[in-house]
Amino acid sequence: MSVDHLSERYEKTLTRIAAAASQYGRPAGSVTLLAVSKTQPAQTIRDLAALGQRHFGENYLQEALEKRPLLADLPLTWHFIGQMQANKTRPVAEQFAWVHTVDRERIAVRLNEQRSPHLPPLNVCIQVRLADEPGKGGIEPDGVAALASRVRELPRLRLRGLMALPPPRDSFDEQKVLFDRLTTVLQQLNAQGFGLDTLSMGMSGDLEAAVAAGSTLVRVGTALFGERIKNWQQPTSPA
Ligand SMILES: *Cc1c(COP(=O)(O)O)cnc(C)c1O
């Protein structure tokens, strides 16, 4: 994509987020844009970084590990947002600042063991399942408090909040109902003293509803980069 085209899409996306924040009474700057750069070449990430974007999210570990060295000179914050496999936690622990998809204790324990003491603690969101989503990760809402208590005890992890990837819904109201559930779970945890500050929810198609429901971080791919033409070929785990 040309830099002009990317710049236009970037400005549009930032404007969408700011307009939603203002419309739903959220403080300016309270919603962070995470650019979901899966399947995008390193040069496109570099171009977007030059326009001012700092937070990038990747889903496919192998792809991310190939791109990261090409971008090591840039001051970017990397988020892992793909499904976690217990045998692939080490590169996530070593190379990312955030992981949004912790949904079981075993993954958290491994990330904690593998996070270098020379790095700041790994920022963690617990992925919560908000609806029937066969094949997708996420813990049921009623299991979140127990997992959160466990994650909080792990010194190399810093529990920041919750993430959800609900199935697409056609209307704003249907989208918001699901996001409101995640907000409620976060509020319940904070009432127990967890002090969480992050709700990772909302994508290209539903970011307005997510912002209305209290999202602090929207994960946007298509609206920034266009439709993904090909999927990254990952040999062992489907997206
Ligand atoms: C791909 C992806 C996104 C971005 O989705 P778009 O609809 O392209 O904005 C956000 N979150 C996760 C977990 C994803 O896998």
Side-chain angles (χ1 to χ4, degrees):
M1 184 184 306
S2 76
V3 174
D4 279 355
H5 193 189
L6 185 64
S7 168
E8 192 181 303
R9 282 176 169 272
Y10 184 46
E11 288 309 319
K12 263 192 194 150
T13 302
L14 292 175
T15 302
R16 258 180 87 186
I17 293 168
S22 135
Q23 179 168 1
Y24 300 108
R26 304 283 312 281
S30 61
V31 184
T32 298
L33 170 61
L34 177 62
V36 176
S37 48
K38 61 185 173 200
T39 78
Q40 300 303 323
Q43 185 59 49
T44 303
I45 296 172
R46 185 172 288 280
D47 291 341
L48 192 60
L51 295 167
Q53 178 62 22
R54 283 295 164 264
H55 293 270
F56 287 86
E58 290 281 344
N59 287 63
Y60 310 118
L61 199 48
Q62 193 55 44
E63 177 192 352
L65 296 179
E66 286 174 28
K67 289 193 282 191
R68 286 291 309 277
L70 306 172
L71 300 161
D73 57 310
L74 300 177
L76 304 181
T77 301
W78 289 97
H79 299 240
F80 188 73
I81 61 171
Q83 270 192 41
M84 290 294 306
Q85 292 173 273
N87 62 346
K88 300 224 177 100
T89 50
R90 182 174 294 280
V92 175
E94 288 174 347
Q95 304 219 23
F96 287 80
W98 284 73
V99 53
H100 292 227
T101 44
V102 172
D103 62 0
R104 52 202 191 274
E105 179 175 343
R106 178 150 175 254
I107 298 282
V109 167
R110 289 178 66 96
L111 288 169
N112 180 65
E113 283 167 5
Q114 292 164 345
R115 182 69 167 179
S116 158
H118 305 296
L119 293 173
L122 180 63
N123 294 293
V124 167
C125 291
I126 291 175
Q127 184 178 354
V128 182
R129 186 190 297 252
L130 296 178
D132 217 22
E133 298 160 73
K136 281 197 202 157
I139 184 170
E140 298 292 331
D142 62 9
V144 174
L147 180 57
S149 300
R150 190 68 185 99
V151 172
R152 186 163 60 168
E153 293 165 359
L154 301 171
R156 305 305 305 141
L157 305 185
R158 181 168 169 218
L159 183 61
R160 297 295 297 270
L162 305 176
M163 177 272 206
L165 182 58
R169 293 281 192 266
D170 289 333
S171 76
F172 177 94
D173 290 340
E174 290 170 293
Q175 293 162 359
K176 185 165 177 293
V177 164
L178 290 180
F179 292 135
D180 281 338
R181 282 186 205 158
L182 196 69
T183 303
T184 300
V185 177
L186 188 95
Q187 286 167 346
Q188 288 165 348
L189 292 175
N190 281 343
Q192 299 169 43
F194 276 90
L196 306 179
D197 62 8
T198 302
L199 275 170
S200 166
M201 58 186 192
M203 312 197 292
S204 296
D206 55 17
L207 72 84
E208 282 81 5
V211 169
S215 172
T216 66
L217 184 148
V218 291
R219 308 179 311 266
V220 178
T222 309
L224 285 170
F225 302 115
E227 293 291 335
R228 287 178 287 275
I229 298 156
K230 61 168 173 95
N231 273 321
W232 179 262
Q233 299 298 316
Q234 194 183 34
T236 51
S237 83

